Each structure stands twice: as structure tokens, then as C-alpha cells.
């Protein structure tokens, strides 16, 4: 009988296994719900600032039969806050979000504070990973990074950012180099703390927003710089991209990650047809998980599996009001052999 860690490692390496694994990485793909918090009496937003509480929530996700991994953090604002953006930490039902940018133009990036991985919430995340590494075994620990394009558009006004990719092209590349260097430092710290996998979510770097040319020039270029900067033996990488893929399948296939993950708007069968040799993850509708019922969730899980997903996961972050029974239905479907 494979452990979750062994099964996931085999899938990453392209081996045949008994069934797909069921994970929810963390980061953009937050897996913490109000039901889960009520169950163990550890709550957000407090856990965002406390490594022990963060680790206990991550453990509960596995112990309550939701997913076969641990993953931290539970938001996409750590990097932006560490670089100077102002963040509203949210509530028990709403995730943290940026409320004040640091700069107005890509040429102002020297105003940003380099990420110090030993302090602030970056330090909380690495400490939580260290706790998970020391206190658990057999379950993969997923560290998370906000992707380069999404981080870049979180510390400055996004509309200006996208415009200046063309208008201030050289400065935009200089800016993206700086952003990506910060992400590499944070990712390496998570690996050193004990992360088995780094998941990178880049919802702002979509082919729909950028078009194929800028998707390749910016999204692919800086994802690959980040991935290459994190290369380490036995550490796997996942990249999640939002939006439709039909215009950028060729470009996304050039991303150096071990696994590619897509939103529910991308039919898994279509992704498999276009990315025959890649390990694919996805993509059970999070709308259905929050507002549907267990039977609906199991039906969608089966569809993802038949469509060619090697790893089953929610398509995006769970709504925090998602019923625990619906969340648990994904893994139940796989272990029941449905």
C-alpha cells in the first residue's frame, strides 16, 4: 500500500499507480473551510500570523479526510505584503487581499522591499513547514508561491502593469527579474524548511489577458526563471494557470514544471489531447464543491479522472463556506473506485 507521499512522487515521475492522488496545494488553492476550522477550533485570520496554528490547520486537512497533502499558506498575499503592499487579512469566511499598492509604474520597483524570509509572514510560512516536517511523515508537504505575473500585479495597479509590458518593455523586464528573484528566495527557504513540492499559482498570467506573444515573453519566461531557480533533487513543482488554454497550449508546454494545473473552464480531455506527455492536475469545479452536493462532486471527480487527470484537485481555491462533506467527496470518490 503506497503512502500519499510515495503515490504522489511516483505520479510526478510518470509511473503508473493504483489511482490518481487527491491534493489541494494551498496558496491560491486554499483548502481551509469554516467547517474545518470549527472542527479543530483553530481559526483564520489568526493562523496567518502563527506557525503552530498554521501547521495544525494544514494537518487537519489530511486528518479530516479532505486531501492527501499538507499545504501552506492559505492565501496569495504573503509575497506582496513582504514587499510593501498593504493587506487586509480577511475574516473567517473571506481570504486576505491587497488593499493598497506600493507603486504606480514598473519603473518604480526600487520602492519595493526585498523579501526577508526570516521575518513577517514569510517567516511564519517557513516555520509552519518546519513544524510539519518534524511532526509528520508519509504525507507530502506542499509549499506555495504566488507566480511572477500575479505578484507583479499585486504590488502595483494591474491595468497600469499590463499596459506597461508594451509601453515600458525594458523596465517591465527589469521589474519582473526583481520580482522573480524574490520568489526564488522565498521558494528556496520553503524547500530548506522541508517542503517536498513547490506549487506556483499565476492566475494573472493568463493567455486570455496577455495573448500568446506576451504570455510567452512574460509568463513563460519568468515562470521558467523561477522554476530553474528552485531546482533541487526530490523537490517537485506544480504550475497552475487560470483561464482558457486553447490559444497557448504550445507556450504552456514550454513551462519547466513537473505538473501543469488548470481551472475548470479547461476540459481535462482537451488538456490531455494537447499535452499528451505532461503530468496534469485538476480540476473539480469549486463552485460545485461549495454549492452542489457530494454526488455532484463525485460525478465531476470521475469526469476529471476519465479525462486524463493524473492528480485530482479543486480547480481553484475552495470557497471557505464549502461543506466538509462536499470537500471529502473528492477523495472518497477515488478511494471507493467510483
Amino acid at each position: 500500500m503506497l503512502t500519499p507521499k510515495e503515490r504522489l512522487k511516483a505520479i510526478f515521475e510518470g509511473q503508473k499507480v493504483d489511482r490518481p492522488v487527491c491534493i489541494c496545494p494551498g496558496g491560491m488553492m486554499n483548502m481551509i473551510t469554516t467547517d474545518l476550522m470549527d472542527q479543530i477550533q483553530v481559526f483564520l485570520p489568526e493562523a496567518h500570523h502563527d506557525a503552530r496554528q498554521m501547521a495544525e490547520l494544514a494537518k487537519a486537512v489530511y486528518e479530516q479526510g479532505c486531501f492527501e497533502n499538507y499545504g501552506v499558506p492559505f492565501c496569495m498575499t504573503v509575497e506582496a505584503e513582504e514587499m510593501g503592499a498593504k493587506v487586509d487579512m480577511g475574516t473567517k469566511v473571506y481570504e486576505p487581499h491587497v488593499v493598497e499598492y506600493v507603486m504606480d509604474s514598473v519603473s518604480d520597483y526600487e520602492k519595493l522591499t526585498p523579501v526577508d524570509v526570516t521575518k513577517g509572514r514569510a517567516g511564519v510560512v517557513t516555520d509552519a513547514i518546519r513544524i510539519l516536517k518534524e511532526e509528520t511523515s508519509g504525507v507530502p508537504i506542499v509549499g506555495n508561491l504566488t507566480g511572477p505575473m500575479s505578484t507583479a500585479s499585486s504590488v502595483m495597479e494591474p491595468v497600469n502593469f499590463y499596459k506597461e509590458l508594451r509601453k515600458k518593455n525594458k523596465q517591465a523586464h527589469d521589474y519582473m527579474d526583481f520580482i522573480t528573484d524574490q520568489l526564488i528566495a522565498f521558494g528556496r527557504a520553503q524547500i530548506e524548511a522541508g517542503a517536498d513540492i513547490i506549487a506556483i499559482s499565476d492566475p494573472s498570467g493568463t493567455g486570455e489577458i496577455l495573448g500568446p506573444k506576451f504570455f510567452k515573453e512574460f509568463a513563460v519566461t519568468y515562470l521558467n526563471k523561477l522554476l530553474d531557480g528552485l531546482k533541487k533533487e526530490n523537490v517537485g513543482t506544480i504550475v497552475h494557470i487560470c483561464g482558457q488554454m486553447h490559444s497557448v497550449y504550445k507556450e504552456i508546454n514550454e513551462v519547466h514544471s513537473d505538473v501543469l494545473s488548470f481551472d475548470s473552464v479547461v476540459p481535462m480531455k482537451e488538456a490531455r489531447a494537447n499535452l499528451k506527455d505532461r503530468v496534469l492536475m485538476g480540476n473539480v469545479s469549486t463552485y460545485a464543491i461549495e454549492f452542489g452536493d457530494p454526488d455532484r462532486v463525485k460525478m465531476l471527480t470521475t469526469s476529471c479522472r476519465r479525462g486524463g487527470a493524473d492528480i485530482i484537485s479543486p480547480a481553484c481555491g475552495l470557497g471557505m463556506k464549502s461543506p466538509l462533506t462536499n470537500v471529502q467527496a473528492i477523495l472518497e470518490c477515488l478511494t471507493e473506485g467510483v
Side-chain angles (χ1 to χ4, degrees):
M1 194 69 178
L2 294 171
T3 66
K5 191 171 180 177
E6 289 168 341
R7 185 178 286 109
L8 187 60
K9 186 173 187 291
I11 290 170
F12 267 64
E13 293 171 352
Q15 300 175 27
K16 295 289 184 185
V17 291
D18 54 338
R19 63 169 175 84
V21 72
C22 175
I23 72 169
C24 191
M28 183 192 78
M29 297 174 76
N30 165 53
M31 74 297 282
I32 306 302
T33 65
T34 53
D35 279 1
L36 187 73
M37 290 186 277
D38 289 339
Q39 196 90 1
I40 68 164
Q41 291 294 293
V42 177
F43 298 98
L44 298 173
E46 292 80 8
H48 288 301
H49 297 285
D50 186 299
R52 168 53 64 184
Q53 291 184 46
M54 184 176 283
E56 292 305 319
L57 278 174
K59 286 181 187 179
V61 170
Y62 174 74
E63 292 165 356
Q64 296 295 324
C66 297
F67 300 104
E68 299 177 285
N69 70 293
Y70 307 125
V72 295
F74 318 122
C75 75
M76 292 187 69
T77 60
V78 174
E79 299 90 344
E81 184 177 55
E82 294 306 307
M83 283 189 260
K86 187 176 179 181
V87 171
D88 181 319
M89 292 308 299
T91 67
K92 186 182 173 184
V93 294
Y94 298 112
E95 293 177 48
H97 57 281
V98 172
V99 293
E100 190 175 305
Y101 302 117
V102 187
M103 56 193 227
D104 299 315
S105 171
V106 294
S107 53
D108 295 335
Y109 73 87
E110 291 182 358
K111 293 179 179 179
L112 299 175
T113 306
V115 174
D116 185 339
V117 298
T118 66
K119 295 179 180 177
R121 285 204 290 143
V124 171
V125 171
T126 52
D127 286 346
I129 292 172
R130 205 167 283 114
I131 290 169
L132 291 166
K133 187 71 173 178
E134 291 170 355
E135 298 181 0
T136 65
S137 64
V139 179
I141 301 168
V142 183
N144 283 271
L145 293 170
T146 305
M149 296 296 284
S150 300
T151 303
S153 59
S154 293
V155 293
M156 71 170 283
E157 207 286 322
V159 173
N160 289 351
F161 171 65
Y162 291 122
K163 285 179 180 177
E164 290 186 346
L165 297 182
R166 184 189 302 273
K167 290 182 177 178
K168 297 185 176 181
N169 188 264
K170 183 187 181 303
Q171 295 98 317
H173 279 289
D174 292 342
Y175 173 45
M176 292 302 301
D177 272 322
F178 176 85
I179 291 288
T180 308
D181 287 342
Q182 307 314 305
L183 299 178
I184 290 170
F186 188 27
R188 285 176 177 169
Q190 293 181 53
I191 293 167
E192 288 167 12
D196 302 299
I197 294 160
I198 297 293
I200 302 162
S201 296
D202 212 357
S204 298
T206 74
E208 290 173 304
I209 295 173
L210 298 170
K213 178 183 181 295
F214 282 110
F215 183 81
K216 182 170 184 176
E217 181 179 347
F218 285 95
V220 174
T221 295
Y222 293 101
L223 280 169
N224 282 343
K225 177 179 176 177
L226 173 54
L227 290 159
D228 294 346
L230 297 178
K231 276 186 179 173
K232 187 179 171 78
E233 191 178 352
N234 296 325
V235 173
T237 53
I238 299 168
V239 165
H240 177 87
I241 300 286
C242 285
Q244 294 283 0
M245 286 290 116
H246 49 76
S247 66
V248 290
Y249 273 120
K250 177 179 175 290
E251 290 79 9
I252 198 68
N253 199 30
E254 296 174 15
V255 171
H256 298 168
S257 61
D258 296 306
V259 176
L260 293 171
S261 168
F262 304 115
D263 200 353
S264 58
V265 296
V266 179
M268 193 51 65
K269 194 172 181 180
E270 175 192 291
R272 174 52 67 205
N274 284 276
L275 300 162
K276 292 181 174 62
D277 301 322
R278 299 300 296 259
V279 179
L280 300 183
M281 180 173 113
N283 56 0
V284 180
S285 164
T286 47
Y287 183 87
I289 297 171
E290 183 166 2
F291 299 106
D293 56 42
D295 288 342
R296 171 76 175 157
V297 172
K298 288 184 179 183
M299 185 191 77
L300 292 170
T301 300
T302 300
S303 176
C304 289
R305 185 176 185 175
R306 289 175 179 166
D310 304 289
I311 300 167
I312 305 295
S313 71
C316 211
L318 294 179
M320 294 175 77
K321 295 179 182 178
S322 301
L324 203 55
T325 52
N326 286 1
V327 178
Q328 293 163 333
I330 307 172
L331 180 55
E332 285 174 7
C333 177
L334 297 178
T335 55
E336 292 167 356
V338 175

